Every structure is written in C-alpha cells, then in structure tokens.
C-alpha cells in the first residue's frame, strides 16, 4: 500500500541522499546535511509565516514566493557552508564527521533557545502552495530531476573527475595539480544548497517545522541512504534514498518486527554489497 | 579511475523503476464512494508513537485503546474494528500511517500522539474528510486545523493555572516563585509560558527561570542558582523522568517550599523516581484516577486487573476516552440511520457530525465538544501526592 505522500517522502529521501553524496564523492564524510536541510526549512517557515507580503494569508501560497524562499534559503545555506567549510574541511575522515555532527548539534541548540525560530514548539501553520500531495510530488520530482541531472553532468566534468581523484587519493590528486581545498569546498557548498532546497519544500509539506529536524539520527539515516545505494555514481544515493524511505512502510504488514528487519537491511547491506546497490563499471 | 555508468543506460532503466512504483501505487487507495466494509465491524485506525522518543506515551495509549476495545466491543450493535499503526515520533511517520489507514478504509482515526505530528498529518485527514479524535494533542490550534479534527485532551491553557491558584489557597504567604522547564521539549516550553502568565496574573514575583534539557539527569547548577534567589515556590514544566529527578535533587539540596508541577508529570511513573521526595507536590490534572464516577471506576478496575494493580496514567485514560467517543457516536448514528451499505465517504461525514454532537461519560468525567472540536471537559483536578511509608508507591489525593 503506497500513497502519493509516501512518494513525496521518497523523493525527499533521494534529495537528501544526493546532498550527502556530493561531499562523499570528494572523499569527505560530512554529516552536516540535516543541518542545512533544517536551515532551508527554517528560512521557508519564517519567511512564509512572518512576511505577509509573500502571500501567506492567500488561499494558495504563490509559487513565486516559494521560489523566492528557495533562493534565499540556498543563499543562506551556501554562504554558511562556504564560511564554515573553509576551516572544517581541513579536518579529515572521522574528525570531519565529528565536526559536522557538532555543527548540526550547535544549530539545533541555537534554534531551540531562540523564540524567534519557534524554540522547542516550532513554527506552525506554514502556508500551502499546493492543494494536495500531487503538487509536492511534481515539485520534488522537478527538483530531484534537476539535481540528478546536474550530478550526472558533474561526474563527467573536470570538477567531478577532480572530486573522484581526491576520494581515491588526496595526496596524489594534489600532486597532479588538483586544487583539493577548493574542490572539497565546492562539493560541501553544493551539498548544502541541495539540502536547503529540499528543506524549503519539506517545511511547506509538513506544515510545521521545528528544531528536531536537525538531529544525529537524521545524519545517520541520510548516510545510510548513500551507503546502501552506493556512493560511486549519482544513481546510487537516489535509489538508496527511495528504497530506504519506502522500506519501513512496505514492511508494515509484519507489524512490530518491521524496524528490526529495516535495521537488518541497513546492517547486512554493506556486508554483502559493500559498494552499494548501484556499482560503477571499472574501466 | 572508475568509468561512470553512462546516463543513457540509466534512462533506459527508468521506465522499469517507474513501472515498479506505479504497480506499488496501484495496489492502494480504497474508493471512498464504495460502501463501507462492516464485515469485522466499523474500521477505525489509531496512529500512536510506538517507536522513537515518544514511544513511552504511545505504549500508555495503546493500553488505553485495548482496554476500551475490551470494554465496548461486547454488546455493541456495530463494534469498531480497530487497527493500530505506529506513527513513529516524527512528522513523516505520522503522515505515512495516516495515509495508510485512510487508504485502508478507516471511518475515523485516533491520534497522532504528538502535537507536532498532528500539525503535519491531521490536515491530510481533513482534506480527505476523515474524522480524527486526538487523544493527546495539547498544543493550541489543533481543532482549528479543520472541522474533521477534534480532541479529548484539554489544552494546558485550561489546566495549568488551577494548580497555582490552589497553591496560593493552601499557603497565601507565597511571594517568590522559581520556574523550571525543559527548553528542548515542545510540551514543557508551551506549558511554562502558561504557568508564567498565571504567576504574573496572581501578582507573584518570578525570581528566576531555569532551563533544563529533556534528557538531563543532573540539575545541580540550575537548582543552586534557583535556591540563591530564595523562592517560596517552585513551578516545574517537565516530563516524568526529568521532573522526578529534579524534585528529588531539589529536596535533597534543602528546598522546603511548595512544588507545583505541570500536566506532564501526571503519571504514577514518577513515584519510583522521586520516591519519598514526591510527597506533597501539587499537580494539575486532566484526569484523576480518584474521580468517583461509574465510567472511571470501571476503567480503573479494568486497568488494575490488567496491570497488576497499578493506577492508570492520564494518557491511557485519554486514549480510552477517544475510543469511547467514536464507539458511542457510531452506535448512536447506526441506531438513527443504519450505516450498512452507505458509501464510506458519507459514513465519515455522518460520524464526524455525530461525534461533535454527543456528550460522553468517560473516565475523564463528562465531556462534549465545541463546534470546532475542542473538548469541553466538566472537571479538572488539582491533586497532591501522598507517598506511602515505603517511599516507592503513593497516591494522587484530590484536593477539594
């Protein structure tokens, strides 16, 4: 039993997975995705509920306002990622992961302790740009298509090749003349932009937004999407995001066991298919 | 360097994925124009937080629904066929469970556990014309989500000020108040605002407001800085575990004054946590196990029989009441106009009207609904905890 709204959540999962995949493609294990996702959602929630000029009180929230929110959210998240990325990306491997977890945690505390961001209660009654889930499905579908297309293009461009080179061997890449710091930073900023754009739509879709969106669990879930799907090509995270979002729902018939089976899939996936569901061909 | 998969290949695969998704999608959605399926009773769904960080609440609620089923199913001309689904503790989980149960042909829904989930998921039911009775959403604005959304859980706005008034009545000398709340918990944050307003309205002086976190265990810093302000009364908006711990530490550090706690601690689960230190705390309740009505006596007896003599918590009573509201409304509606062979859509509309129209003798006392679906509850309670000499068990004694 699948409903349109589950498809919407699946597409959201795929987008977040792509956001995790981008830095991972450059060999950087960043768990900051939920943080930028939350920033996107918070920007959308604040703008649409606090600025009457955007048409929040209209029966149907104007799409132009949605687009404007997305631009603002992308700018905010991109700028933040740029500023934070410079020092943070000097860290490697597990240290980078820890720093990005801390980043998400700091963001959560900031949101919680400021009434302006809705504190623990969150922001309610976010205006709806679409009548039902169908509109969100199209919007998310478009967004995913654009991001997936851009990722597919990126993989064949010098920048994408440079990212892959850094993943395979950062020192060798640097010796080959790849500006590793710059490439890593670009990957980090792109990831933030994708996550923020997904967050803007999510805030409207969920109708309420709160700081609980940014937590450690979300970091791990999105990482699992990429690990199960595969981190070599853009299709891997997309499939991982779609499948792992749908799986708990498809498993509902088995009742209380479903989360155990879900956990087993996440556990056994990397053991039996370490490269993920979608592998790249070796030349 | 690995050669990447050409996107042409991916595009060729795409139709297969779409076909798969389409197939999955096509096996859903009951036609709401089809007649309602009464084979096993009127289908009703419940969405509870059985997993995630709100699972303690969901488990309490599940017991309430199961007891209600045992109580109302026999002797009913049109029993409810209840299916409980896990809504997780987040918005996405609740949305999925709502859709699943609506597609399965539920005539009415009970849930979700958390207010935040309700803001995300209840509009779906509203859009599709399915009545929702919320058993535990206390945030402002829930019934306003639409005419199909109602609740049996009273807002903190109504309950919280009662205990402040009672505390002053018991000790008119109270002047200085210290307030504690968990700033990462939605319930605590919204209730403390109401408490603080009530304190101001009584012309009391709030000497300090201390923030804690839901998962904190040690409150030494907050308590010592609060005690430095020499409060006569401490007001807590906390949940059972953190609140119970805070009370124990507060007493151990020498606070002798009045302690008033919010609705989140209205559960016997606090006894083993603050033990003998629980004694004397004042609590505002939307449900009291001490209420002497037939409905409550029979509910408490059922609970005690199932749970080895334990006293039912508020969430269990509220879930029981939500089920009772739907069961009784169904019964009345069916008597007036048999639901057999009516289209599901019409059954949902009729049932919603009947739910809002009725008056119900629940364990919470007599309740009815405002036209928006807000609960109108006759009796709220202020109780004082009296611990037994063993320090492990106790009782919420109703104050007159």
């Amino acid at each position: 039993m699948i409903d349109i709204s589950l498809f919407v959540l699946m597409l959201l999962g795929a987008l977040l997975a792509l956001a995790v995949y981008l830095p991972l493609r450059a060999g950087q294990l960043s768990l900051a995705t939920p943080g930028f996702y939350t920033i996107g959602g918070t920007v959308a929630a604040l703008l649409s509920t606090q600025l009457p000029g955007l048409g929040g009180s209209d029966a149907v929230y104007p799409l132009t306002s949605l687009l404007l929110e997305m631009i603002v959210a992308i700018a905010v998240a991109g700028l933040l990622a740029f500023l934070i990325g410079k020092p943070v990306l000097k860290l490697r491997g597990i240290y980078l992961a820890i720093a990005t977890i801390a980043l998400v945690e700091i963001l959560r505390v900031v949101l919680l302790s400021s009434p302006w961001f809705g504190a623990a209660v969150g922001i309610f009654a976010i205006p709806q740009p679409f009548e039902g889930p169908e509109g969100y499905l199209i919007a998310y579908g478009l967004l995913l298509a654009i991001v997936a297309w851009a990722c597919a293009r990126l993989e064949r461009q010098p920048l994408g090749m440079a990212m892959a080179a850094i993943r395979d061997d950062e020192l060798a890449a640097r010796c080959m003349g790849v500006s590793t710091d710059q490439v890593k930073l670009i990957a980090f900023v792109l990831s933030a932009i994708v996550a923020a754009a997904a967050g803007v739509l999510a805030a409207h879709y969920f109708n309420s937004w709160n700081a609980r969106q940014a937590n450690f669990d979300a970091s791990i879930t999105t990482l699992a999407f990429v690990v199960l799907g595969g981190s070599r090509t853009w299709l891997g995270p997309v499939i991982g995001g779609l499948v792992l979002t749908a799986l708990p729902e498809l498993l509902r018939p088995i009742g209380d066991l479903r989360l155990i089976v879900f956990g087993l899939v996440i556990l056994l996936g990397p053991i039996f298919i370490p490269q993920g569901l979608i592998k790249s061909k070796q030349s | 360097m690995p050669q990447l998969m050409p996107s042409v290949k991916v595009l060729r695969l795409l139709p297969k994925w779409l076909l798969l998704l389409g197939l999955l999608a096509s096996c859903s959605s009951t036609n709401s124009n089809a007649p309602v399926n009464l084979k096993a009773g009127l289908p009703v769904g419940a969405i509870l937080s059985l997993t995630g960080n709100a699972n303690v609440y969901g488990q309490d609620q599940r017991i309430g629904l199961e007891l209600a089923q045992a109580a109302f199913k026999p002797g009913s001309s049109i029993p409810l066929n209840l299916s409980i689904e896990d809504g997780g503790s987040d918005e996405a989980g609740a949305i999925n469970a709502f859709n699943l149960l609506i597609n399965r042909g539920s005539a009415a829904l009970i849930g979700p556990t958390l207010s935040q989930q309700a803001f995300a998921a209840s509009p779906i039911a509203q859009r599709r014309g399915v009545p929702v009775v919320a058993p535990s959403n206390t945030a402002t604005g829930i019934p306003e989500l639409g005419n199909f959304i109602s609740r049996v859980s009273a807002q903190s706005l109504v309950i919280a000020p009662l205990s402040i008034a009672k505390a002053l009545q018991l000790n008119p000398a109270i002047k200085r108040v210290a307030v504690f709340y968990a700033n990462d918990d939605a319930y605590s944050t919204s209730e403390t605002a109401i408490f603080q307003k009530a304190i101001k309205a009584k012309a009391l002086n709030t000497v300090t407001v201390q923030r804690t976190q839901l998962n904190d265990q040690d409150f030494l810093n907050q308590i010592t800085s609060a005690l430095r302000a020499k409060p006569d009364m401490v007001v807590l908006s906390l949940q059972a575990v953190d609140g119970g711990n805070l009370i124990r530490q507060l007493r151990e550090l020498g606070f002798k004054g009045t302690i008033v706690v919010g609705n989140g601690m209205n559960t016997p689960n606090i006894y083993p946590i603050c033990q003998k230190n629980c004694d004397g705390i004042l609590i505002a309740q939307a449900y009291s196990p001490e209420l002497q009505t037939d409905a409550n006596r029979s509910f408490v007896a059922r609970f005690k029989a199932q749970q080895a003599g334990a006293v039912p918590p508020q969430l269990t009573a509220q879930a029981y009441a939500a089920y009772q509201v739907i069961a009784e409304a169904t019964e009345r509606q069916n008597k007036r106009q048999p639901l057999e062979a009516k289209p599901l859509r019409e059954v949902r509309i009729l049932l919603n009207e009947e739910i809002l129209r009725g008056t119900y003798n629940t364990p919470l006392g007599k309740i009815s609904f405002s036209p928006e679906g807000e609960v109108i509850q006759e009796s709220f309670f202020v109780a004082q905890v009296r611990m037994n000499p063993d320090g492990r068990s106790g009782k919420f004694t109703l104050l007159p």
Side-chain angles (χ1 to χ4, degrees), chain A residues 74-160:
Chain A
I74 284 173
V76 171
L79 187 69
L80 200 67
F82 179 75
L83 295 176
I84 295 170
K86 278 206 154 174
V88 164
L89 288 170
K90 289 204 180 359
L91 300 168
R92 299 230 169 106
I94 194 71
Y95 299 102
L96 175 64
I98 293 170
T100 49
I101 291 170
L103 199 69
V104 175
E105 207 41 32
I106 290 169
L107 187 76
R108 192 177 70 89
V109 173
V110 167
L111 291 184
L112 277 176
S113 47
S114 99
W116 203 66
F117 294 123
V121 185
I123 302 168
F124 297 144
I126 298 172
Q128 295 297 305
F130 308 109
E131 289 264 318
E134 298 81 5
Y136 287 100
L137 188 70
I138 295 169
Y140 265 122
L142 269 177
L143 190 59
L144 180 61
I146 294 169
V147 174
W149 175 80
C151 286
R153 291 270 303 165
L154 180 74
E155 284 169 8
R156 277 172 288 143
Q157 302 260 327
L159 178 62

Side-chain angles (χ1 to χ4, degrees), chain A residues 1-3 5 7 9 112 120 124 131 155-156 206-207 210 212-213 249 252 258-259 281 283, chain B residues 1 3-4 7 9 28 51 85-86 89 91 96 99-100 103-104 116 119-120 127 183-184 189:
Chain A
M1 298 258 267
I2 286 201
D3 188 84
S5 61
F7 282 118
L9 293 171
L112 277 176
F124 297 144
E131 289 264 318
E155 284 169 8
R156 277 172 288 143
F206 289 147
N207 194 28
N210 53 61
R212 287 179 310 138
Q213 310 289 343
E249 293 309 308
R252 279 215 186 251
R258 71 187 177 111
L259 290 183
K281 281 192 198 151
S283 54
Chain B
M1 199 191 291
Q3 174 110 41
L4 304 169
S7 20
K9 205 163 206 180
S28 80
T51 56
E85 282 294 338
D86 175 24
S89 296
E91 289 82 355
N96 288 333
N99 278 308
L100 177 74
N103 289 342
R104 233 190 246 163
Q116 275 117 338
F119 282 108
R127 233 173 0 236
N183 84 323
D184 59 342
T189 330

Side-chain angles (χ1 to χ4, degrees), chain A residues 136-229:
Chain A
Y136 287 100
L137 188 70
I138 295 169
Y140 265 122
L142 269 177
L143 190 59
L144 180 61
I146 294 169
V147 174
W149 175 80
C151 286
R153 291 270 303 165
L154 180 74
E155 284 169 8
R156 277 172 288 143
Q157 302 260 327
L159 178 62
M161 304 275 192
M163 285 161 76
I166 295 174
R167 180 190 58 204
D168 288 345
D169 190 332
E170 186 168 344
L171 192 59
R174 196 191 280 265
C175 292
M176 302 286 285
V178 174
S179 167
T180 53
D181 288 351
Q182 202 183 345
V183 171
K184 287 194 289 188
L185 187 60
I186 292 175
F188 190 63
V189 171
L190 286 178
S191 150
I193 287 175
V194 172
V200 169
L201 280 177
H204 287 280
Y205 181 60
F206 289 147
N207 194 28
S208 75
W209 197 255
N210 53 61
R212 287 179 310 138
Q213 310 289 343
N215 61 20
F216 181 60
D217 287 4
S219 298
I220 298 306
T221 315
T222 45
L223 181 64
F225 294 166
V226 185
V227 171
L228 191 86

Side-chain angles (χ1 to χ4, degrees), chain B residues 179-258:
Chain B
V179 175
F180 287 78
Y181 75 99
N183 84 323
D184 59 342
D185 181 38
Y187 148 77
S188 298
T189 330
S190 49
E191 195 189 56
T192 196
I194 295 157
F195 265 135
Q196 290 181 38
K197 217 187 242 171
I199 291 167
K200 209 180 239 170
K202 293 277 177 199
L204 299 174
N205 183 12
T206 306
V207 289
T208 174
V209 177
Q210 296 291 330
R211 293 166 165 198
T212 65
Q213 303 260 309
L214 192 53
N215 291 326
D216 279 355
Q217 311 251 327
D218 175 46
F219 302 96
L220 191 65
N221 285 333
Q222 290 98 330
I223 291 174
T224 42
S225 61
L227 290 184
R228 244 178 269 138
K230 304 218 176 313
D232 309 316
M233 175 164 81
V234 169
V235 175
L236 311 179
S237 285
L238 297 170
Q239 304 279 8
V241 177
D242 52 337
N245 270 318
L246 196 142
I247 289 175
R248 187 171 52 79
Q249 292 170 27
L250 193 61
R251 289 293 190 212
E252 283 169 0
L253 289 170
F255 179 69
K256 297 265 189 301
T258 310

Side-chain angles (χ1 to χ4, degrees), chain B residues 38-59:
Chain B
L38 295 177
K39 231 179 286 159
L42 187 76
V44 168
I47 300 93
L48 305 179
S49 297
L50 299 174
T51 56
N53 55 13
N55 77 79
V56 218
Y57 311 133
Q59 304 296 351

